[in-house]
Amino acid sequence: MIARICLALLSTIPVTQSALAAPPSHPPLIPFPTSVEWNEGSVPITATTVIEAGGDAVPTATYLAQTMGLKQGLNGTTDIRLSLVPASRIAGPEAYRLKASGKEVLIEASDPRGLFYGVQTLRQLVTGAKGSSVVPDIEISDGPRFAWRGLLIDVGRHFFGKPTLFELIDEMAAYKLNMLHLHLTDDPGWRIEIPGYPRLTQSEVKPGGIREYFTADDIREIVAYAAERHI
C-alpha cells in the first residue's frame, strides 16, 4: 500500500537526464537522486562483507547490518564504509554521497540523517540472492527537494495495531519520508489512551478483550521506533 502511494507521489517529480540514461538492467531508485553516474562493473556483497563505522555513524551501521544480514567490523573481502564528514564537504543535513567501486561502498554525510538516507539508497541498489548480491558501480550525490516529506495514517477511522504501523514506518524510511501524522480521533473512535480520562477509550475494547486503541506506552514505543528511522 505505502509503496503504491509513494510511487504515485513521486511520479509527479520531473525525470532528469541522468534517470533516462540509467542502464535498464540496474534497479530503479525511488526517489531518483539529484545526480547519478552509472559505471561499468559491480561490487560483490557476500557473507564476508563487513560494515565499517565509528562514532555517531555506528547506529546507522547497526541498522544496515540488521536489515542486510551483515556483520560490523574491519577488513572484510568487501567493505561498506559509513562516514560522517564536516558540513563544509556536504551541504545539508539530509544530503549524502554514495560511491560503489572495486571492493568498497562508501557513504558519506555530514549528519546521521543523510547517512541513513544513503543507506536506504544502497538497499535499493542491491540485487541478487542473499550471500551473492551485487551493487553496481555508481556515484551518487543526493539531497531531498522538500524538507517535509510526510504521510498521514488515519487510525481513527480504520484502526490497526503496532505491528502493521511498524511495517508502514519501515516503508516510509525506505522511501526517505520523514514526517508521520497519526489521525487518532474521529467519530468512529478514540484511538489514544489519556490516563486522566479513561472513559474516552471504554468503547474501544471489543468482544474478546480486543483493544482498538494505543496505550500511552504504545505511543512512546511508536515515537521511539520512528525516531530511530529519522521520522
Side-chain angles (χ1 to χ4, degrees), residues 205-211:
V205 180
K206 305 306 179 185
I210 298 173
R211 174 169 52 82

Side-chain angles (χ1 to χ4, degrees), residues 6 13 18 49 69 122 142 147-148 159 222:
C6 291
I13 298 176
S18 298
T49 298
L122 172 62
D142 192 23
W148 184 290
F159 184 80
I222 291 165

Side-chain angles (χ1 to χ4, degrees), residues 84-128:
L84 289 171
V85 300
S88 57
R89 288 180 53 182
I90 298 180
E94 295 183 305
Y96 67 90
R97 285 198 295 260
L98 184 155
K99 181 176 181 180
S101 180
K103 294 184 177 181
E104 180 182 84
V105 177
L106 172 63
I107 303 174
E108 293 182 324
S110 62
D111 184 279
R113 287 170 288 175
L115 205 62
F116 184 80
Y117 296 140
V119 159
Q120 299 304 330
T121 298
L122 172 62
R123 293 179 63 204
Q124 292 186 23
L125 287 167
V126 176
T127 58

